[in-house]
Amino acid sequence: MNSYEYILEMRNINKRFKNLVANDNITFRVRPGTVHALIGENGAGKSTLMNILTNIQTPDSGEIYIRGELVEFKNPLDAVRHGIGMVYQEFMTFQGMSVLDNIIVGFEQKNGMFIDYKESRRKVEEICKKYNFNIPLDALVNDLPIATLQQVEIIKVLYRNADIIILDEPTSVLTPQGVQGLLDAIRFLVKQGKTVIFITHKLKEVLEISDDITILKNGRVTGVLSAKETNELELARLMVGREVMLQINKPQCKTGDVVLIVSNLKVKDSAGVIRVKNASFKVHAGEIVGISGIAVSGQKALVEAIVGLSTAEKHGEIIFCGRNITDETIANRRKMGMGYIAQDRTGIGSNKEGTIWENAIMGYHRVKGFKRKHLLDFNDINAFTNKIIDEYAVKTQGIGDKIKTLSGGNIQKLIAGREFLQNQKLLIIEDPTRGIDVGSVEFIWNRIIQMAQVGVAVLLISHDLNEVMQLSDRILVMYNGSIIEHPNSKVLTEEQIGLMMLGGVIDEVGN
């Protein structure tokens, strides 16, 4: 019998960054052997609280108790030694290395001065057997799908003897089947005595998997609830401070001329592997066409070819507004009215070392103005940046701050505003609401619909199948590099589209 009621207590945690209060007297308590969801808007203080727990950041004041005992971490390894492990939204894998090496790196079993690979492997295999993970330990991580990489990250924290496992937005890139697989794995971990802190914006999953829920807003706790005694609407209200529409009211689209034609497109990656196989489809003005598929099905290579980040093979064509742009530069595509919101918001969509205003005009400082002869026009730049901040509710202290000071969700809103406030003819949007709160999801969804209503063609690529189904007028599925279009895509269920994403066949009436 445990002599403590909570395996983790964070008492009266305060953390301030300049004038921003990130954590305001937060108390967070987690019972052992439970799943405890931590939810809140972007910028609510979740990441700061977890960074304090893992000792990436130091609180200004407050105390942390593990198993009833006060602890003081000197470095992040101290948190690991106390049994805390975190699986981040962006996986911490080393490309070019095997799964086994990724799991044991930095924590190898030793035999004197030397690494004992045999004992390290034995320990990993023992964990895989105990927790029912079937992982190819000798495969390169580069070759694994997202769902398997996630399992690798979970095994990594188990290998480091974590009893408290923090999962940050763990289902954001999984199919419906993958989500259920992860939730089953979480249930099994808890059954084996582990405790899970589950950070997500997907309220259905919160209610399905959690025992307890802590809600943060503006750095404060606004509620601590039992999952059995609440619902999505109450959670959304406590997160956002108002009623939130969880289902979008999308009007019937009025399509215009064809804006984008992709014809027999074939794309190879840097290693010469074919990632897109003779893809063909069209997008009309005023239409939202969704593309769904599991990770590494070819969506990334397809989008990179359309926006000009990579080169397609010669026998295919990309026609934009009647012009063949297959070999055009990115700048010329932007000049013609092609906007792009990248899935990788910190690597491609923004320059994390740049300021907020620099990122607000990134990609448009040459093609859209913002210049007077050879100098930047800072009056225009400041006005445009502040317009994004105001209209897209970006939480920031000043436009001269570096963009990396913003939460992931606020970076996403800044990028969305940058692209949506241009005079675009085509918007290519990848995972527009990945990792953002329900209030911001509602806002971004409405903006996407508004763009289509004024005649913009929208190509939406999302790993959130519900998002694709809510927003799209037509749904394409990408599987193993090929585009599949079902004639009745709008009447299919999540499970049916999920089956198509895995290579299954659905007949013309959706059975």
Side-chain angles (χ1 to χ4, degrees):
M1 188 75 178
N2 293 330
S3 59
Y4 50 85
E5 183 179 0
Y6 301 107
I7 191 170
L8 166 68
E9 283 189 87
M10 302 180 76
R11 297 182 187 173
N12 308 116
I13 301 295
N14 288 282
K15 182 66 178 179
R16 179 188 292 268
F17 299 97
K18 297 181 182 177
N19 297 323
L20 175 67
V21 179
N23 288 167
D24 187 357
N25 203 38
I26 289 177
T27 293
F28 178 59
R29 297 186 174 100
V30 179
R31 296 183 294 129
T34 63
V35 179
H36 196 121
L38 180 64
I39 65 174
E41 289 184 283
N42 299 112
K46 305 184 301 297
S47 296
T48 300
L49 191 67
M50 291 301 100
N51 284 341
I52 289 170
L53 178 58
T54 54
N55 204 239
I56 293 172
Q57 292 169 342
T58 305
D60 298 331
S61 62
E63 297 173 328
I64 299 174
Y65 290 79
I66 305 291
R67 302 175 189 86
E69 295 185 5
L70 178 66
V71 296
E72 291 186 15
F73 301 144
K74 295 182 177 64
N75 55 57
L77 280 179
D78 270 357
V80 174
R81 293 187 188 104
H82 280 86
I84 298 168
M86 185 159 179
V87 177
Y88 293 90
Q89 185 176 350
E90 310 295 339
F91 300 144
M92 305 293 186
T93 54
F94 293 96
Q95 299 294 295
M97 289 173 58
S98 71
V99 170
L100 178 63
D101 285 336
N102 267 275
I103 291 169
I104 68 175
V105 65
F107 291 83
E108 301 88 345
Q109 304 297 305
K110 295 290 183 69
N111 185 356
M113 293 177 61
F114 300 98
I115 296 172
D116 189 339
Y117 278 103
K118 185 176 180 181
E119 178 58 19
S120 297
R121 187 183 188 97
R122 186 200 65 77
K123 185 177 177 183
V124 172
E125 288 176 341
E126 187 178 272
I127 290 168
C128 291
K129 183 178 179 181
K130 180 177 180 180
Y131 293 98
N132 291 334
F133 290 113
N134 185 19
I135 303 290
L137 296 180
D138 296 314
L140 294 179
V141 292
N142 317 43
D143 301 328
L144 298 182
I146 291 290
T148 306
L149 285 175
Q150 191 172 64
Q151 292 176 26
V152 171
E153 293 293 289
I154 294 172
I155 294 167
K156 188 187 298 182
V157 297
L158 291 170
Y159 176 80
R160 298 175 184 182
N161 299 313
D163 290 318
I164 302 169
I165 301 171
I166 307 163
L167 301 177
D168 184 15
E169 295 290 347
T171 65
S172 60
V173 292
L174 299 180
T175 65
Q177 290 85 347
V179 169
Q180 287 307 313
L182 176 66
L183 298 185
D184 288 343
I186 291 172
R187 292 184 185 100
F188 193 77
L189 287 168
V190 170
K191 195 177 290 184
Q192 297 295 315
K194 302 299 182 182
T195 301
V196 174
I197 298 173
F198 188 70
I199 304 171
T200 186
H201 292 106
K202 298 184 178 181
L203 300 184
K204 286 182 181 177
E205 293 166 11
V206 168
L207 294 171
E208 181 176 349
I209 195 64
S210 304
D211 299 293
D212 305 307
I213 306 164
T214 294
I215 305 102
L216 302 185
K217 179 173 172 56
N218 294 330
R220 295 181 178 179
V221 175
T222 57
V224 180
L225 305 172
S226 165
K228 294 177 181 178
E229 298 171 357
T230 188
N231 55 56
E232 285 186 71
L233 291 174
E234 182 180 21
L235 294 177
R237 181 177 53 78
L238 288 168
M239 285 173 62
V240 181
R242 60 176 175 82
E243 298 297 326
V244 177
M245 294 296 294
L246 300 174
Q247 297 288 321
I248 203 73
N249 182 20
K250 185 180 181 300
Q252 188 74 27
C253 78
K254 297 178 181 178
T255 59
D257 294 336
V258 175
V259 172
L260 176 70
I261 302 173
V262 173
S263 179
N264 296 316
L265 198 68
K266 180 179 176 183
V267 184
K268 293 181 180 179
D269 64 15
S270 57
V273 177
I274 298 173
R275 295 298 182 188
V276 179
K277 303 172 182 176
N278 299 321
S280 296
F281 62 91
K282 297 177 181 178
V283 186
H284 294 76
E287 181 183 35
I288 302 174
V289 174
I291 296 182
S292 189
I294 63 172
V296 302
S297 288
Q299 306 97 304
K300 182 174 182 286
L302 174 68
V303 168
E304 287 180 348
I306 295 171
V307 300
L309 289 169
S310 67
T311 304
E313 297 297 296
K314 293 299 181 185
H315 77 289
E317 286 185 334
I318 304 166
I319 309 296
F320 177 40
C321 294
R323 176 174 161 186
N324 189 335
I325 62 161
T326 312
D327 297 319
E328 284 287 0
T329 64
I330 297 173
N332 282 341
R333 296 178 205 218
R334 284 195 177 276
K335 283 180 183 176
M336 291 176 64
M338 180 184 291
Y340 175 46
I341 297 176
Q343 180 195 55
D344 184 358
R345 59 192 172 210
T346 55
I348 296 174
S350 64
N351 170 17
K352 65 181 181 180
E353 296 300 326
T355 64
I356 290 167
W357 70 259
E358 286 171 329
N359 279 278
I361 66 167
M362 191 175 81
Y364 295 106
H365 57 288
R366 290 195 181 100
V367 302
K368 292 285 185 180
F370 302 119
K371 287 184 74 174
R372 287 185 305 200
K373 294 186 178 178
H374 303 295
L375 300 174
L376 291 173
D377 187 334
F378 282 100
N379 288 332
D380 280 356
I381 290 169
N382 293 347
F384 182 72
T385 305
N386 285 316
K387 185 177 183 182
I388 297 175
I389 289 169
D390 292 341
E391 291 192 18
Y392 285 77
V394 180
K395 292 183 180 178
T396 176
Q397 295 186 72
I399 65 173
D401 289 348
K402 289 192 175 182
I403 197 170
K404 65 182 181 182
T405 63
L406 303 184
S407 69
N410 280 300
I411 293 174
Q412 186 75 356
K413 288 192 284 186
L414 183 80
I415 294 169
R418 178 184 71 204
E419 301 299 323
F420 287 6
L421 291 176
Q422 307 292 341
N423 185 24
Q424 310 288 24
K425 294 182 176 66
L426 170 68
L427 278 169
I428 299 171
I429 308 173
E430 292 181 294
D431 290 318
T433 60
R434 182 186 178 198
I436 67 175
D437 58 80
V438 288
S440 297
V441 167
E442 178 192 45
F443 178 84
I444 294 291
W445 281 4
N446 278 313
R447 286 301 172 106
I448 292 172
I449 290 170
Q450 288 168 15
M451 297 300 291
Q453 284 183 299
V454 297
V456 178
V458 178
L459 182 63
L460 171 68
I461 302 94
S462 177
H463 289 88
D464 184 340
L465 188 47
N466 176 58
E467 180 167 72
V468 171
M469 296 180 74
Q470 291 265 0
L471 295 179
S472 303
D473 300 300
R474 285 189 293 126
I475 300 172
L476 311 177
V477 171
M478 200 156 190
Y479 172 70
N480 195 27
S482 297
I483 291 285
I484 305 163
E485 182 168 6
H486 191 281
N488 298 310
S489 63
K490 285 296 290 179
V491 303
L492 298 180
T493 65
E494 280 198 24
E495 290 72 22
Q496 287 172 323
I497 295 177
L499 180 62
M500 290 175 66
M501 290 161 63
L502 295 169
V505 178
I506 308 295
D507 67 28
E508 286 198 6
V509 292
N511 296 315

